[in-house]
Amino acid sequence: MLVVTVLAGCAGPRPAPTPDGVAEPPAEAAAPVYQSGEATYYGARFAGRTTASGEAFDPRALTAAHRRLALGTRVRVTNVDNGRTVTVRINDRGPYADGRIIDLSRAAAERLGMIESGVATVELRRID
């Protein structure tokens, strides 16, 4: 039992809980890819609506919604199928559809080449 206690103490820093209770890895242990999964984009009907950050949603801005990342975080989004990338700022919460990890503005979706399909497999990397 003593050996287990000593080894557990040497395991390194523990992830710090975030306000929503999700633990994030310490910076030195963070993998280059923060998250991968499916992305969608906001439809035109959301233009002008207030986002979680308090600003009006602008489909021409390079912004996105994420469930846990802090508002204001900048994320590089890469479309796995075509290699195109875009940097967005998180300004809203969501997506609320199962299996989706990020909702992008139309401008961001255009840069990723996903307008026709509406959905793309992406990788997210935090850049700040």
Side-chain angles (χ1 to χ4, degrees), residues 54-68:
E55 64 191 89
F57 173 65
D58 180 356
R60 298 166 301 181
L62 296 177
T63 58
H66 192 275
R67 289 186 187 116
R68 296 185 315 265

Side-chain angles (χ1 to χ4, degrees), residues 31-108:
V33 174
Y34 169 75
Q35 191 175 20
S36 61
E38 289 189 331
T40 53
Y41 69 95
Y42 286 89
R45 71 180 184 274
F46 293 101
R49 291 191 185 179
T50 303
T51 64
S53 67
E55 64 191 89
F57 173 65
D58 180 356
R60 298 166 301 181
L62 296 177
T63 58
H66 192 275
R67 289 186 187 116
R68 296 185 315 265
L69 287 173
L71 297 175
T73 299
R74 295 174 53 82
V75 180
R76 179 168 293 119
V77 183
T78 302
N79 183 330
V80 173
D81 294 330
N82 62 20
R84 294 171 73 173
T85 65
V86 65
T87 299
V88 297
R89 179 177 48 85
I90 304 300
N91 72 338
D92 204 5
R93 292 291 170 229
Y96 298 107
D98 288 339
R100 308 293 163 80
I101 62 167
I102 194 166
D103 274 340
L104 302 163
S105 65
R106 182 175 178 92

